């Protein structure tokens, strides 16, 4: 079956702009989690959605937001971009029949560069 | 701030040797622990999960968990050059809906 699809793969944005990233989970998966990966901080949790509800949020400023649609597709938005937002943004989907992380399938990520 | 700590490496081992990777975690409420492998330029993939104290073996991989010491390890037997990657240790948070990742240990297996 199809994997987790993240679009776009690469983005270059200017400071102050906003950006929307998209994630389509594996068919049947209702949980979508977002992570930010940088060389300095590693993988950091942004938020998790299950059946359109945000169940958990990481320690990121309010400029980072997300949502999930009824078909389980998820989007995350970053407003007023800063240079430090340059990172690989990874989406992971799961069917949540086990603990978090069990059955996680990561997408290929969106590489965001802020200039 | 809940943390998972790993030695960044690089850890270099010859082909056929045992590679030993370790991590410690700070949140005693963590219940589930995972090892992910990430090749350069790729996304992480799950290689082992462990939930109770002791050892869990899967092929060439053995995960070990000691909750009293808040310590997780991964042993890779008969290491192959294809095992060269960054290994990420992760622990579930208390809410059970997120993972806390270590920054990863880079493993290099030379032929």
């Amino acid at each position: 079956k199809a994997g987790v699809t993240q679009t776009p793969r690469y983005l270059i944005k200017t400071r102050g702009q906003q950006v929307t990233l998209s994630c389509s989970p594996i068919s049947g998966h209702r949980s979508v989690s977002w992570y930010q990966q940088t060389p300095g901080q590693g993988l950091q949790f942004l938020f998790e959605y299950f059946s359109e509800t945000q169940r958990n949020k990481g320690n990121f400023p309010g400029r980072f937001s997300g949502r999930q649609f009824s078909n389980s597709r998820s989007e995350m938005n970053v407003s007023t971009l800063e240079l430090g937002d340059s990172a690989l943004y990874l989406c992971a989907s799961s069917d949540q029949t086990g603990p978090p992380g069990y059955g996680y399938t990561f997408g290929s990520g969106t590489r965001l560069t802020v200039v | 701030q809940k943390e998972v700590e790993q030695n960044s490496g690089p850890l270099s081992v010859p082909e056929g040797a045992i590679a030993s990777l370790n991590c410690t975690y700070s949140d005693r409420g963590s219940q589930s622990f995972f090892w992910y492998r990430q090749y350069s330029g790729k996304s992480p993939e799950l290689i082992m999960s462990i939930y109770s104290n002791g050892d869990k073996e899967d092929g060439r991989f053995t995960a070990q968990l000691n909750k009293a010491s808040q310590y997780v390890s991964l042993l890779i037997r008969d290491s192959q050059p294809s095992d060269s990657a960054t290994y990420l240790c992760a622990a579930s948070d208390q809410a059970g809906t997120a993972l806390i990742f270590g920054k990863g240990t880079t493993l290099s297996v030379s032929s």
Side-chain angles (χ1 to χ4, degrees), chain A:
Chain A
K1 57 185 172 183
V4 179
T5 303
Q6 289 190 248
T7 56
R9 289 294 308 277
Y10 303 93
L11 265 179
I12 300 176
K13 290 287 188 178
T14 304
R15 263 185 312 173
Q17 287 186 313
Q18 74 165 18
V19 66
T20 299
L21 312 181
S22 178
C23 172
S24 293
I26 290 173
S27 178
H29 284 192
R30 292 192 290 165
S31 170
V32 174
S33 300
W34 288 89
Y35 289 83
Q36 180 196 65
Q37 187 172 33
T38 59
Q41 298 300 316
L43 267 160
Q44 293 187 289
F45 172 73
L46 281 156
F47 22 68
E48 189 261 0
Y49 288 88
F50 183 85
S51 294
E52 301 180 67
T53 299
Q54 185 183 87
R55 297 195 299 181
N56 199 352
K57 188 178 191 304
N59 189 27
F60 278 82
R63 299 185 296 107
F64 291 81
S65 62
R67 58 178 176 170
Q68 187 180 33
F69 302 95
S70 59
N71 62 357
S72 293
R73 190 177 72 85
S74 178
E75 289 181 347
M76 68 163 280
N77 184 277
V78 188
S79 62
T80 319
L81 284 165
E82 300 177 359
L83 295 178
D85 297 333
S86 295
L88 179 66
Y89 290 88
L90 288 162
C91 163
S93 82
S94 78
D95 60 8
Q96 273 286 289
T97 56
Y102 182 80
Y104 260 15
T105 301
F106 281 93
S108 298
T110 295
R111 172 75 62 186
L112 171 64
T113 302
V114 182
V115 298

